[in-house]
C-alpha cells in the first residue's frame, strides 16, 4: 500500500473513532475524557460544521481522482475510504444532535413560560417587551446581566428598562448571583410574583460566573437554578470541567429542579452525559435550528451551549422558539412547558 493510502487510512480511522465516540457513544469513557480536553472540546462543540467540512473535502478529493483518471472513478483503497468518510460524516451531521418532536395533543395542566438568554450584559426595552410583554414569561434567566456599572445589582437597570417597555416591574422579583471577578456580569433571574415567591440559597456551590439557587415557598412550584459556567479556554479548562461536574451533581441532588443557563458546553461534554433525571428542552427544537451560539454563523452550524433542563418525568415541552437578537452573540430561547398528566 502506498504511503498516501496509509496516511488516509490512519486519518480516517482516527476521525471515525473520535466522531463515533462523541456522536453515538457520548456517555462512554473515551468521550468523557476527550470532550473535556483542550482542542477536542472545541471541535466537538461544532460537530456539524466539522462533518460538513470533511464531506466537502472528501468529495473534492474524489473529484480530483476522477479528473486525474480521465473522468473515471477508480475504485481503489483511497477512494473507498473517502466514500466511506462521506457516508460516515453524513451520519454525524444527521444524527449528531438529539431531536424530539413536540406532542400536538396537550392535557389541561398548568404551563410554565421560561426564557434563557445570555444577554452579554446588553439588553434593551424591546427585549423586555418581547420577553415579559408579548411572551409573558413566568421565569427568565439572564446569565450575563448586572447594573449600570461593575458590581451594581441589575435591579435599578431592570426598573428603567421595564418602564421604557411599558411593563410593570413591581409584578416581578429579581434574584442575582454574587459579583464575579473580571468583566463577566453575574446571573440574574427574574420571576413573576404571581407564579410564586422564592428564597435564595446563599450557600449553593457557585459555577465560575455565577449560580442562583431558588427554592419556592410553595410545594407546587419547582426549584429554579440559574447558572453560568467558565468557558473552555486555555487556562480555564480545569475550572470549566469542574463546573460541568457541578451541574451533573446539581441535577442528581435536585431532581425536581429546573436548571437553566449558559453551560458553555453541549450535553455530550464530559460529566453532562451523566445527567439522567433531566432532559434538555432544546432537544425539541428543529435539528438544524437548535444551536444558541454564535449568531454570526449559519443556524445549521451553531452549537447548543445554552440549556433549559427540565425534570424528565414532571414536564413536557408544549412549544419552543429560538430568537435572534443582534445585541448578543447568543440566541434567546423561549419555551413553554406543561406539567405531566397522571
Amino acid at each position: 500500500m502506498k504511503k498516501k493510502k496509509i496516511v488516509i487510512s490512519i486519518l480516517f480511522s482516527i476521525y471515525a473513532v473520535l466522531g463515533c465516540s462523541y456522536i453515538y457513544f457520548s456517555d462512554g469513557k473515551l468521550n468523557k475524557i476527550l470532550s473535556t480536553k483542550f482542542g477536542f472540546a472545541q471541535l466537538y462543540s461544532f460537530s456539524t460544521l466539522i462533518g460538513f467540512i470533511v464531506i466537502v473535502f472528501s468529495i473534492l478529493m474524489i473529484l480530483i481522482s476522477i479528473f486525474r483518471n480521465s473522468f473515471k472513478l477508480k475504485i481503489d483503497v483511497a477512494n473507498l475510504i473517502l466514500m466511506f468518510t462521506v457516508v460516515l460524516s453524513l451520519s454525524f451531521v444527521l444524527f449528531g444532535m438529539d431531536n424530539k418532536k413536540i406532542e400536538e395533543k396537550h392535557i389541561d395542566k398548568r404551563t410554565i413560560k421560561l426564557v434563557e438568554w445570555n444577554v452579554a450584559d446588553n439588553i434593551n426595552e424591546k427585549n423586555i417587551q418581547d420577553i415579559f410583554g408579548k411572551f409573558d414569561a413566568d421565569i427568565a434567566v439572564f446569565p450575563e446581566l448586572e447594573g449600570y456599572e461593575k458590581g451594581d445589582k441589575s435591579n435599578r437597570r431592570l426598573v428603567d428598562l421595564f418602564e421604557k417597555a411599558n411593563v410593570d416591574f413591581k409584578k416581578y422579583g429579581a434574584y442575582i448571583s454574587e459579583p464575579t471577578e473580571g468583566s463577566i456580569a453575574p446571573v440574574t433571574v427574574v420571576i413573576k410574583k404571581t407564579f410564586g415567591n422564592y428564597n435564595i440559597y446563599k450557600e449553593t456551590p457557585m459555577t465560575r460566573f455565577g449560580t442562583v439557587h431558588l427554592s419556592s415557598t410553595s410545594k407546587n412550584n419547582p426549584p429554579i437554578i440559574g447558572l453560568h459556567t467558565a468557558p473552555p479556554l486555555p487556562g480555564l479548562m480545569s475550572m470549566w470541567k469542574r463546573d460541568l461536574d457541578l451541574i451533573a451533581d446539581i441535577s442528581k441532588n435536585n431532581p425536581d429542579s429546573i436548571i437553566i443557563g449558559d453551560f458553555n458546553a453541549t450535553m455530550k461534554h464530559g460529566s453532562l452525559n451523566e445527567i439522567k433525571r433531566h432532559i434538555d428542552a432544546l432537544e425539541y427544537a428543529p435539528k438544524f435550528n437548535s444551536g444558541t451560539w454564535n449568531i454570526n454563523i449559519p443556524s445549521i452550524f451553531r452549537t447548543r451551549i445554552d440549556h433549559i433542563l427540565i425534570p424528565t418525568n414532571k414536564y413536557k415541552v408544549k412549544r419552543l422558539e429560538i430568537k435572534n437578537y443582534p445585541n448578543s452573540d447568543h440566541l434567546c430561547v423561549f419555551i413553554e412547558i406543561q406539567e405531566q398528566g397522571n
Side-chain angles (χ1 to χ4, degrees):
M1 185 180 289
K2 296 180 180 180
K3 183 178 179 181
K4 174 185 173 183
K5 295 178 181 178
I6 294 175
V7 172
I8 292 176
S9 298
I10 293 173
L11 291 176
F12 170 76
S13 298
I14 294 173
Y15 173 72
V17 170
L18 298 183
C20 287
S21 71
Y22 177 75
I23 301 299
Y24 301 113
F25 307 102
S26 61
D27 57 351
K29 187 175 182 179
L30 178 62
N31 179 67
K32 287 182 181 179
I33 294 173
L34 290 180
S35 63
T36 56
K37 300 300 181 183
F38 183 73
F40 290 103
Q42 291 75 17
L43 288 174
Y44 284 160
S45 293
F46 296 94
S47 59
T48 301
L49 177 59
I50 298 302
F52 179 79
I53 292 173
V54 172
I55 289 171
V56 172
F57 176 78
S58 299
I59 291 176
L60 181 61
M61 293 297 292
I62 292 172
L63 292 176
I64 291 174
S65 174
I66 292 174
F67 177 78
R68 287 180 175 177
N69 287 280
S70 303
F71 299 97
K72 292 181 180 179
L73 178 60
K74 183 180 179 181
I75 307 300
D76 58 9
V77 174
N79 280 335
L80 284 173
I81 291 175
L82 288 171
M83 286 187 282
F84 279 124
T85 303
V86 171
V87 174
L88 185 63
S89 298
L90 277 172
S91 75
F92 290 168
V93 171
L94 295 174
F95 303 107
M97 292 179 288
D98 295 323
N99 178 245
K100 303 181 186 299
K101 290 186 178 181
I102 296 176
E103 295 180 16
E104 295 295 332
K105 186 177 180 180
H106 299 287
I107 56 175
D108 186 21
K109 289 283 187 177
R110 186 182 69 155
T111 64
I112 304 173
K113 293 181 178 180
L114 303 160
V115 170
E116 190 282 340
W117 185 29
N118 184 330
V119 300
D121 205 21
N122 185 18
I123 190 171
N124 58 43
E125 58 269 24
K126 182 183 181 301
N127 306 140
I128 295 295
Q129 177 56 232
D130 281 356
I131 294 169
F132 298 101
K134 295 178 182 178
F135 184 64
D136 193 24
D138 296 304
I139 301 165
V141 176
F142 305 118
E144 286 189 47
L145 179 63
E146 61 184 343
Y148 290 110
E149 296 180 2
K150 177 65 180 176
D152 288 345
K153 298 289 186 180
S154 55
N155 301 66
R156 181 68 256 171
R157 185 178 178 185
L158 285 171
V159 168
D160 294 342
L161 287 170
F162 271 70
E163 184 177 353
K164 291 179 181 178
N166 197 28
V167 180
D168 188 2
F169 185 68
K170 293 179 181 178
K171 295 180 179 180
Y172 300 85
Y175 307 85
I176 303 143
S177 67
E178 295 298 320
T180 59
E181 297 177 0
S183 61
I184 304 300
V187 177
T188 294
V189 180
V190 180
I191 300 180
K192 188 188 296 182
K193 290 180 180 178
T194 55
F195 179 78
N197 294 317
Y198 279 81
N199 295 321
I200 188 167
Y201 284 151
K202 295 290 186 180
E203 68 277 9
T204 300
M206 291 271 290
T207 49
R208 177 64 180 87
F209 294 130
T211 299
V212 178
H213 188 161
L214 301 173
S215 175
S216 175
T217 57
S218 170
K219 292 183 179 180
N220 297 324
N221 290 333
I224 304 297
I225 302 173
L227 55 86
H228 187 192
T229 71
L233 297 175
L236 293 174
M237 291 299 295
S238 60
M239 189 169 293
W240 173 69
K241 182 178 181 300
R242 172 256 181 198
D243 282 350
L244 301 190
D245 293 341
L246 178 56
I247 294 172
D249 287 341
I250 288 173
S251 172
K252 181 179 179 181
N253 298 324
N254 301 273
D256 296 330
S257 65
I258 296 177
I259 306 169
I260 312 174
D262 177 0
F263 294 8
N264 277 307
T266 73
M267 295 304 293
K268 293 185 178 181
H269 276 101
S271 56
L272 295 186
N273 285 283
E274 298 171 5
I275 294 177
K276 305 301 180 185
R277 297 186 176 186
H278 290 81
I279 186 172
D280 184 11
L282 270 294
E283 291 186 16
Y284 289 87
K287 183 180 290 291
F288 298 119
N289 190 30
S290 64
T292 60
W293 187 84
N294 185 296
I295 68 167
N296 296 317
I297 62 178
S299 60
I300 188 176
F301 299 137
R302 291 172 187 151
T303 183
R304 191 194 294 166
I305 61 173
D306 296 271
H307 304 277
I308 298 177
L309 305 187
I310 59 177
T312 307
N313 299 319
K314 287 208 165 189
Y315 302 95
K316 61 182 179 181
V317 176
K318 185 175 182 180
R319 62 181 172 131
L320 184 151
E321 184 178 2
I322 301 175
K323 290 189 177 183
N324 186 336
Y325 293 118
N327 42 325
S328 173
D329 56 349
H330 288 251
L331 282 85
C332 182
V333 181
F334 292 75
I335 182 172
E336 186 174 7
I337 61 175
Q338 188 172 49
E339 294 175 339
Q340 294 273 26
N342 294 327

